[in-house]
Amino acid sequence: MTDPQKIWQGVLGELELILSKANFTTWFKNTFIISIDEEKGEAVIGVPNAFTKSWMEEKYNAAIIKAMANVSGNNVSSILYQIQTLKSASHQHIPAGRLQQQTGGALEPLQTSNKTQEYEAPNAYGLSKRYTFSNFIVGAGNQLAHSASCAVAEEPGIRYNPLFLYGDVGLGKTHLMHAIGIAALSRNPSSRVIYINFEKFTNDYVAAARKGGFDAFREHYRSADILLVDDVQFMIDKEKTQEEFFNTFEVLHHNEKQIVITSDRPPKALIELEDRMISRFEWGMIADIKMPDQETRRAILENKCKERGFSLDPEIIAYIAENIKNNIRELEGALNKTIAWYELNHKTPSLSSVREILLNVLADPARKYLSPRRIIEAVAEFYDVSLPDITGQCRKRELVLPRQI
């Protein structure tokens, strides 16, 4: 029987391609496979709590079954979700299979370390050892953000405070935040570093409000030497949480403690936030991260292959880099899917087989980027009106419907 853990890694690779970063991290981060019964067509998946169990059953059950069929070919028709933690499980979860290619094309698994485990320093909260400066690939689109992050790690609270990183999903903002924390701790192990997604800050605030534990909540965040806050755009429409974060920001900045923030857009584009919050974000350094060019994407794939101990022909790497352009997360997801396929089927990598494996990913029209201008052009063409008419001030009846669409 095929190793269930390898199947689950392939399933996660599939799901990572179709889900947003927030959803994938929230619901699948602490999941693992317990067993697969091929005769019964049943799989048992470990989940961390009852809420995740309920959500998986209602929202993701069909997607998991489909991904499992794509990855392994097993006819799994039902999934049981069992509340269980990794520590209590009878096996160890391996996040990514490292492989070596042997004579004859057979692929064998190697021992791996859990690279997603939290940093073990006593003053580190939420950091992952997986993301460091050493495995961050620098290219034209992220050079400024990388340089600023390195400077912050060397002199936290002194240079570029706050550091505000922005860009589309999956381009490396979170990687740089973790790298800052890891590098700062390596220089000063006594530093207190906290990494959070803003949703966690909100959840902690709500929990403190329910239990009357604001003192402990404020002490936790305001005693940080480096506070790394991901996805602050989720602050929008959360007035109370925004007020609390503003006060936390003021305390830390006044005490010359480092603050690093990420968002999917620059501060001025966060128009729903209070002006005073936006002005604070603009105090220090603002750096954007753009989509990597093809050369950078190839370097990323080569580095990921090296990390996993898996060899791919340069022609295959070039093909993936040329066709996966949206973000690094999709690039890595495509590579994970490719590696999982070969690990499960023990086949020698070839360009034709990679094309087949990634056919659904590359052919999905929903994944192609549509600019606002292209949408307007398509609507104008369909209704046989000109671009100036549809974007102008004229209120003629025949222009109302296409303009609304």
Side-chain angles (χ1 to χ4, degrees), residues 199-222 240-241 244 248:
E199 286 189 356
K200 174 168 173 50
F201 185 87
T202 301
N203 292 338
D204 288 351
Y205 175 81
V206 172
R210 288 175 178 172
K211 300 176 182 178
F214 279 121
D215 289 343
F217 169 83
R218 288 164 181 158
E219 172 63 23
H220 175 70
Y221 286 107
R222 298 181 187 184
K240 294 293 185 181
T241 313
E244 187 64 35
T248 298

Side-chain angles (χ1 to χ4, degrees), residues 3-273:
D3 185 351
Q5 296 308 320
K6 298 176 184 177
I7 294 177
W8 189 239
Q9 292 313 306
V11 170
L12 292 179
E14 288 251 332
L15 294 172
E16 193 171 8
L17 292 174
I18 63 175
L19 299 177
S20 68
K21 171 191 171 185
N23 282 335
F24 182 81
T25 302
T26 300
W27 303 112
F28 290 92
K29 180 180 179 181
N30 295 315
T31 62
F32 56 96
I33 195 164
I34 296 174
S35 64
I36 295 179
D37 191 324
E38 295 180 353
E39 294 182 2
K40 293 182 179 180
E42 181 180 275
V44 181
I45 305 298
V47 295
N49 51 58
F51 187 58
T52 301
K53 178 177 182 291
S54 175
W55 195 265
M56 289 287 197
E57 291 170 344
E58 293 179 11
K59 300 292 185 180
Y60 295 120
N61 192 67
I64 293 173
I65 290 175
K66 182 179 179 181
M68 197 166 288
N70 291 341
V71 169
S72 67
N74 290 335
N75 294 320
V76 174
S77 57
S78 66
I79 296 179
L80 299 177
Y81 299 95
Q82 189 174 106
I83 300 173
Q84 194 172 14
T85 63
L86 289 173
K87 290 181 179 179
S88 63
S90 59
H91 58 271
Q92 291 296 320
H93 172 51
I94 302 174
R98 290 184 61 194
L99 312 170
Q100 63 181 358
Q101 190 172 348
Q102 297 179 335
T103 305
L107 302 176
E108 297 295 335
L110 294 176
Q111 293 290 332
T112 84
S113 59
N114 188 338
K115 294 186 179 181
T116 59
Q117 65 185 348
E118 287 190 352
Y119 196 75
E120 296 175 355
N123 294 321
Y125 298 86
L127 290 179
S128 170
K129 288 184 174 180
R130 180 181 179 184
Y131 304 113
T132 64
F133 286 126
S134 63
N135 62 15
F136 184 85
I137 304 300
V138 182
N142 59 28
Q143 191 170 14
L144 176 61
H146 175 265
S147 298
S149 298
C150 290
V152 163
E154 290 176 2
E155 297 181 292
I158 299 175
R159 302 177 64 183
Y160 311 139
N161 194 23
L163 173 61
F164 191 103
L165 305 175
Y166 73 92
D168 288 337
V169 298
L171 296 183
K173 302 186 300 294
T174 299
H175 189 139
L176 285 176
M177 295 189 83
H178 285 271
I180 290 170
I182 297 295
L185 280 169
S186 69
R187 291 180 172 85
N188 184 5
S190 64
S191 295
R192 191 168 188 272
V193 181
I194 299 176
Y195 165 82
I196 53 162
N197 184 287
F198 194 81
E199 286 189 356
K200 174 168 173 50
F201 185 87
T202 301
N203 292 338
D204 288 351
Y205 175 81
V206 172
R210 288 175 178 172
K211 300 176 182 178
F214 279 121
D215 289 343
F217 169 83
R218 288 164 181 158
E219 172 63 23
H220 175 70
Y221 286 107
R222 298 181 187 184
S223 61
D225 294 307
I226 301 176
L227 180 62
L228 310 162
V229 185
D230 220 346
D231 294 327
V232 293
Q233 68 270 12
F234 292 130
M235 186 188 301
I236 294 171
D237 297 329
K238 297 181 176 70
E239 293 183 7
K240 294 293 185 181
T241 313
Q242 187 178 155
E243 175 72 21
E244 187 64 35
F245 183 75
F246 175 83
N247 292 330
T248 298
F249 184 103
E250 290 284 274
V251 170
L252 291 175
H253 196 274
H254 176 75
N255 293 330
E256 297 184 344
K257 304 302 182 181
Q258 181 66 50
I259 305 165
V260 184
I261 301 163
T262 74
S263 174
D264 61 355
R265 65 201 103 152
K268 287 189 183 300
L270 299 169
I271 56 177
E272 301 90 342
L273 297 184

Side-chain angles (χ1 to χ4, degrees), residues 313-384:
D313 190 272
E315 187 180 24
I316 296 175
I317 290 178
Y319 174 78
I320 298 175
E322 181 180 353
N323 288 279
I324 304 290
K325 303 177 181 179
N326 287 350
N327 60 57
I328 298 169
R329 191 169 296 111
E330 289 186 6
L331 195 69
E332 187 172 358
L335 180 64
N336 287 341
K337 184 176 181 179
T338 301
I339 291 176
W341 178 266
Y342 289 125
E343 186 176 23
L344 292 168
N345 293 279
H346 301 284
K347 293 183 178 179
T348 302
S350 69
L351 182 58
S352 60
S353 58
V354 169
R355 284 174 175 161
E356 184 69 25
I357 293 166
L358 301 180
L359 181 63
N360 293 336
V361 176
L362 303 181
D364 185 359
R367 305 183 71 81
K368 295 182 179 178
Y369 176 72
L370 285 175
S371 67
R373 181 176 179 83
R374 181 67 192 97
I375 294 171
I376 295 172
E377 288 174 346
V379 174
E381 181 181 353
F382 182 85
Y383 284 98
D384 195 24

